[in-house]
Amino acid sequence: MKYGLVMEGGAMRGIFTCGVTDVLMENGISFDGSVGVSAGACFGCNYKSKQNGRSIRYNLRFCKDKRYCSFRSLFRTGDMFGAEFCYHTIPEKLDPFANEVFENNPMSFYVVATDITTGKPVYHNCHIATGSTLEWIRASASMPLAARIVEIDGRKFLDGGISDSIPLKFMESAGYDKNVVILTQPRDYIKKPSRSDSLVKLFYKKYPQLVKAYSRRPKMYNEQLKHVRKSEAEGNAFVIAPPDILPIGHVTHDPEIMLEAYRIGRNAARERLAELKKFLAD
């Protein structure tokens, strides 16, 4: 029996996931493998490095820093979340990432990125904590219109949520029998077409498969939620989701809003901790 952890994205809604995963780590819950999409990749890597509290710590510390996230960064660098600051300065200097722990932890950690030429998801197993792994995490979290295209080994990538927002089927196909799924939207959420469809179509007209994948995303996402519910009903998935729409948007510079989303995540995990332990023990 192999146990997996699936972490949805959602930009700063991922702070909810930080609250959930911190409670799981505090209670010694481990997995054979995990997968993160976008914010789920950025924050989820701390599960493999066993750095409880790190994600909320640096988000609170740098949420008002224009190098971390700002329109100024977007205009100057092409990335709303500053690539150099977020993926190098913070993990290497300001809030060091536990590289050795990450690499020695046997848990597999996959990130999902979208190949913009094919419009298909690519799943990368991160074995090391520096270099290419950081680029894969950046690619997974590079939102269309708010980030530059990330090139890795001659291929071009953007946000993994475009092509696989909730990669439960991937984990099941990889041999993980039971999976804990952390959502950042309520269970009854229904994704609607994005207002940015026309901008994406215009901005990425050289990449028609990406445009097609982006326009299909609401249908894909809603079908994935149905699969999550089906797996849960069959006893193969355990879902932790916010009870209501989170009080945080894609971007926020307010530490109190971040803390509230984090607390909601912690409470959601605590309330179902006994059930979760039973699920993982069966």
Side-chain angles (χ1 to χ4, degrees):
M1 185 73 72
K2 290 176 66 177
Y3 297 90
L5 175 64
V6 179
M7 294 168 283
E8 183 187 2
M12 296 312 295
R13 290 199 315 271
I15 294 293
F16 170 86
T17 301
C18 298
V20 175
T21 54
D22 280 355
V23 169
L24 301 190
M25 282 191 275
E26 288 163 13
N27 284 272
I29 294 174
S30 60
F31 298 90
D32 299 297
S34 62
V35 60
V37 182
S38 195
C42 289
F43 303 150
C45 63
N46 293 290
Y47 211 107
K48 184 171 170 66
S49 66
K50 301 183 180 181
Q51 289 179 281
N52 177 26
R54 180 174 180 269
S55 291
I56 187 62
R57 181 175 66 239
Y58 73 70
N59 272 285
L60 292 174
R61 180 180 174 186
F62 300 114
C63 64
K64 294 185 178 182
D65 193 315
K66 289 180 170 55
R67 297 172 297 172
Y68 183 58
C69 176
S70 66
F71 282 106
R72 187 177 79 172
S73 175
L74 178 62
F75 295 144
R76 287 186 174 183
T77 71
D79 295 301
M80 180 169 283
F81 288 86
E84 181 65 26
F85 189 72
C86 293
Y87 298 98
H88 294 284
T89 304
I90 291 177
E92 293 170 7
K93 299 176 182 178
L94 301 179
D95 197 324
F97 189 70
N99 297 338
E100 187 174 347
V101 177
F102 181 95
E103 292 173 10
N104 290 334
N105 186 343
M107 180 185 77
S108 296
F109 175 62
Y110 299 91
V111 300
V112 188
T114 300
D115 184 319
I116 66 171
T117 302
T118 66
K120 302 294 184 182
V122 175
Y123 308 91
H124 180 76
N125 191 353
C126 301
H127 299 289
I128 60 174
T130 56
S132 64
T133 287
L134 293 175
E135 285 299 285
W136 278 104
I137 292 174
R138 182 164 78 92
S140 181
S142 291
M143 298 180 291
L145 306 175
R148 291 172 293 167
I149 293 168
V150 178
E151 294 194 31
I152 303 173
D153 298 331
R155 300 171 73 181
K156 298 179 179 181
F157 299 97
L158 280 174
D159 197 318
I162 299 168
S163 54
D164 193 350
S165 299
I166 312 171
L168 175 58
K169 283 187 177 181
F170 163 73
M171 289 297 278
E172 291 170 342
S173 68
Y176 293 91
D177 309 280
K178 286 194 166 188
N179 292 280
V180 175
V181 181
I182 305 174
L183 303 177
T184 59
Q185 295 282 17
R187 289 169 171 269
D188 59 353
Y189 176 77
I190 298 174
K191 184 172 282 297
K192 298 177 181 178
S194 172
R195 289 176 294 180
S196 59
D197 276 0
S198 57
L199 279 176
V200 168
K201 185 175 182 179
L202 177 65
F203 199 80
Y204 299 103
K205 58 185 178 182
K206 290 183 179 179
Y207 306 100
Q209 296 306 314
L210 173 71
V211 172
K212 188 180 296 185
Y214 192 86
S215 67
R216 286 198 307 253
R217 190 184 175 202
K219 181 180 179 182
M220 175 268 293
Y221 185 92
N222 295 330
E223 288 175 350
Q224 288 187 326
L225 277 180
K226 288 181 182 178
H227 180 72
V228 168
R229 289 192 286 265
K230 179 175 180 291
S231 292
E232 183 181 36
E234 293 170 349
N236 299 319
F238 188 95
V239 181
I240 301 176
D244 301 295
I245 296 291
L246 291 168
I248 191 169
H250 278 81
V251 174
T252 185
H253 303 288
D254 189 332
E256 287 304 315
I257 291 176
M258 285 186 176
L259 276 173
E260 180 59 19
Y262 178 73
R263 292 188 193 108
I264 293 170
R266 289 189 65 88
N267 290 337
R270 283 171 173 161
E271 288 172 3
R272 304 201 62 205
L273 193 57
E275 293 176 75
L276 174 60
K277 289 180 177 179
K278 186 177 185 301
F279 170 81
L280 296 172
D282 288 345

